[in-house]
Amino acid sequence: MSEAPVLKNPITLQFRGDWGQANLHRICGWLAQEIGDRAPEGSRFGIWNGRGGIDQIQALQAGEVDIALVTPTAAVQMLDRAGKAKGLASLGVVGQRDRLVVAVDASLPVSTVSELASIADQLTVATSQDDGVNLIGLAAHKALRIAGVDPEKLNFFYDERPFPPLEHFIAGKSNVLVHEAVMTPRWQQLDRVRPVKYLPWGDEVLQAFAAEGWQDAIVEAGYFPGQTEDLRTLDFSDFAVLCRQDMDDDVAALVTWCMVMTRRALEVQYAHLPADHSPVTYPLVPADMARTPLSLHPAAARTYEALGDSELSDGAPVWK
């Protein structure tokens, strides 16, 4: 299957990414261009702003868009087990190594998340809101409750995106941070104002999440400033590329082909960053792209099987 599938009839394809300047939008733009290069004249492509959470799934189910990206994939699996991803399928996964991490002012007399309950009145937590859409906020508040920390007794600084909470914590305005995007430079600056330590969620939290399909992961010692031990925390990895189950086979096959065969065109946009500190983990491996939190669209599954672990880039800028 060395040649690209070619669409015979013009299509209109609607994507849903992020707020406009982050990685989901970049992935949507990459796919829109590559698909457009292999679609007939008159085809149209649009990218809608989204939040990367439950809103993406709802937009797909409502027929507002054709392809939407959600992160992390663990949350998609949790939502699917809860019956909230009905009618949806996956076209694949774009890799991103990320974690949901709890960082605190080192002066706080705690060593685990559950111990925060004893000093709740002293805490200001920088994180995202639990509003039924944001998956950072959903996971943070759910995990705190399981750990025995009542969110009603905490002060919060909320923001939809990772960087304002990070800045709030770095400036010393918050003494607890619960967030993701751990590969970004601001996480390396957490100790700018005072020493920082990183708290494990604890077995009770991790086991409760695992029972719903959300697994844990490790942040190796030394990844963060002042981190002397491995940290076992919640996984927050990967971008799921989702569609409805009724997507036309020829379109699903072409999208999947483009994800695999033109992946260098996306990777090269991150090549200036070390692979373990990149918002998209490169090199992208087709076998990993096919490991999805939802069942693959049948045409996508056939395409992955036919392509195998190809290293071809179909003329896209090659970077290794």
Side-chain angles (χ1 to χ4, degrees), residues 18-294:
D18 53 53
W19 312 280
Q21 297 184 41
N23 301 291
L24 302 189
H25 244 58
R26 182 172 288 189
I27 293 167
C28 288
W30 158 55
L31 290 176
Q33 178 169 326
E34 297 295 346
I35 296 163
D37 285 348
R38 296 160 179 86
E41 185 177 352
S43 295
R44 300 188 304 165
F45 302 89
I47 303 175
W48 291 90
N49 286 18
R51 297 171 61 189
I54 295 173
D55 60 315
Q56 313 288 74
I57 288 173
Q58 293 171 338
L60 280 170
Q61 291 172 329
E64 296 173 358
V65 297
D66 305 295
I67 296 174
L69 274 69
V70 180
T71 187
T73 55
V76 177
Q77 188 162 319
M78 174 184 281
L79 294 168
D80 185 40
R81 290 193 180 189
K84 296 181 180 179
K86 292 180 179 178
L88 302 186
S90 176
L91 296 168
V93 166
V94 176
Q96 181 201 42
R97 185 179 183 274
D98 202 358
R99 308 287 185 258
L100 188 72
V101 169
V102 182
V104 303
D105 188 314
S107 67
L108 294 179
V110 297
S111 58
T112 66
V113 172
S114 62
E115 293 174 356
L116 293 174
S118 64
I119 54 170
D121 60 338
Q122 303 175 36
L123 305 179
T124 298
V125 181
T127 188
S128 293
Q129 62 272 29
D130 183 14
D131 60 358
V133 172
N134 189 293
L135 294 172
I136 302 160
L138 180 153
H141 289 75
K142 180 182 180 74
L144 286 169
R145 292 188 187 96
I146 296 171
V149 184
D150 184 358
E152 297 296 324
K153 296 181 179 180
L154 302 171
N155 293 314
F156 284 96
F157 172 81
Y158 286 139
D159 197 274
E160 168 79 3
R161 305 171 192 169
F163 299 121
L166 281 162
E167 296 290 349
H168 206 263
F169 182 83
I170 289 170
K173 298 177 182 178
S174 303
N175 52 7
V176 179
L177 173 68
V178 184
H179 234 289
E180 47 92 50
V182 300
M183 78 296 294
T184 58
R186 298 307 272 161
W187 275 91
Q188 299 300 316
Q189 301 166 357
L190 293 189
D191 60 349
R192 177 176 290 179
V193 172
R194 72 295 199 210
V196 173
K197 58 186 174 184
Y198 306 89
L199 304 185
W201 282 108
D203 289 344
E204 186 175 2
V205 171
L206 300 182
Q207 290 169 8
F209 271 72
E212 298 185 58
W214 192 317
Q215 300 301 318
D216 62 85
I218 298 294
V219 180
E220 293 81 4
Y223 191 85
F224 298 128
Q227 182 196 355
T228 59
E229 299 179 352
D230 287 352
L231 177 69
R232 188 167 169 239
T233 188
L234 286 168
D235 195 19
F236 215 88
S237 297
D238 299 336
F239 305 111
V241 184
L242 305 181
C243 65
R244 288 186 300 280
Q245 292 172 351
D246 62 1
M247 174 175 272
D248 290 345
D249 283 2
D250 58 346
V251 176
L254 178 56
V255 175
T256 307
W257 189 95
C258 289
M259 287 179 63
V260 173
M261 300 297 283
T262 74
R263 62 191 187 276
R264 301 287 186 260
L266 179 68
E267 290 176 355
V268 74
Q269 299 178 51
Y270 297 89
H272 61 292
L273 300 168
D276 64 343
H277 281 81
S278 171
V280 168
T281 303
Y282 59 82
L284 295 170
V285 179
D288 292 338
M289 297 167 80
R291 297 190 184 108
T292 68
L294 296 181

